[in-house]
Amino acid sequence: MVKRKGQMFLVGALILCAAIAGAVISTKSVYMTTPSNFADSMFSNMESESRYVVNLIAKENATSKNIEHRMIEYMSFLDNMALERNIKYSGYYLIALPVGNDLNVTLINYNKAMIDSAEITVAGTTKSTAFLPHKDSVTMTFDDVPDNMTFNYTLSYYDGTSTKTNTDETNMTLRLFSAVNIRFLSGDNIRQSLFFN
């Protein structure tokens, strides 16, 4: 009988140790937060690397379909990297690719929301599209574009709380260029940038 009491004491001690260890581990569990300097650094890198990425993809295969496909892959990669660090990434790219005297303008939606409407004007000619889903793209062709032109666009989308409208206008030459909108949400910090390359 003494032998059984000793075994019960050992089993009880093991259960108590396991319970204490479980309590300690659960209180020490790690919640990953991203230091703001890392999010700032990643945001700045994305701004500076966007021109390089667009040029690299165009050099690889200068067609609008390839640009659409490869940019969606690139943005998915950025999104996965951001999610690993608790950052929510969204945005869109407008990429203009000259084809002879014409200009193909590709809109790639990575807003995590449907683009309700997009209106693009190149040298006075306006084209539009509606209902472009997240991770989708569309290319519009503008014929006989002059060497120097005015490029402007307006995009509208619902972000879950309100309708957002982005608009911009710039003077461009007939060459490869892009307009990039990127938005980071990390904790309470929001970083957003809209720029032309």
Side-chain angles (χ1 to χ4, degrees):
M1 194 61 116
V2 174
K3 198 173 189 180
R4 282 194 178 178
K5 273 189 177 182
Q7 288 173 344
M8 291 303 265
F9 176 74
L10 283 175
V11 169
L14 286 173
I15 290 172
L16 183 61
C17 287
I20 291 171
V24 169
I25 289 171
S26 68
T27 60
K28 299 284 185 188
S29 61
V30 176
Y31 175 71
M32 185 173 166
T33 57
T34 301
S36 67
N37 59 350
F38 178 83
D40 287 338
S41 175
M42 186 174 173
F43 186 77
S44 298
N45 284 346
M46 284 178 63
E47 283 185 318
S48 63
E49 290 296 315
S50 67
R51 177 185 299 161
Y52 173 75
V53 170
V54 169
N55 287 334
L56 191 66
I57 290 170
K59 188 176 180 181
E60 165 192 278
N61 182 349
T63 63
S64 295
K65 274 293 165 204
N66 182 58
I67 286 173
E68 289 179 39
H69 176 70
R70 299 285 279 140
M71 286 304 294
I72 289 172
E73 283 180 354
Y74 171 65
M75 287 185 281
S76 294
F77 162 75
L78 292 175
D79 194 34
N80 289 334
M81 190 168 61
L83 283 175
E84 287 174 4
R85 292 158 176 85
N86 263 356
I87 300 170
K88 293 181 181 173
Y89 160 69
S90 61
Y92 59 81
Y93 276 72
L94 271 165
I95 300 171
L97 178 69
V99 181
N101 291 329
D102 301 338
L103 189 70
N104 288 348
V105 180
T106 300
L107 169 60
I108 304 163
N109 180 14
Y110 214 81
N111 262 319
K112 312 291 174 71
M114 170 110 44
I115 290 179
D116 298 321
S117 65
E119 192 172 89
I120 299 168
T121 304
V122 175
T125 302
T126 301
K127 298 199 175 191
S128 61
T129 189
F131 307 117
L132 185 66
H134 169 63
K135 280 192 175 181
D136 207 352
S137 56
V138 64
T139 297
M140 302 173 204
T141 300
F142 293 84
D143 299 323
D144 297 319
V145 175
D147 287 339
N148 295 292
M149 69 189 124
T150 301
F151 178 90
N152 79 38
Y153 71 93
T154 301
L155 297 181
S156 295
Y157 60 93
Y158 183 72
D159 71 352
T161 56
S162 61
T163 298
K164 305 284 185 193
T165 301
N166 290 347
T167 186
D168 209 337
E169 178 174 297
T170 191
N171 293 320
M172 285 292 180
T173 59
L174 188 58
R175 60 179 172 78
L176 176 70
F177 65 89
S178 61
V180 181
N181 178 280
I182 56 175
R183 185 173 192 267
F184 269 31
L185 176 62
S186 177
D188 293 333
N189 297 324
I190 296 174
R191 297 161 186 81
Q192 182 157 342
S193 180
L194 175 61
F195 55 93
F196 277 89
N197 290 320

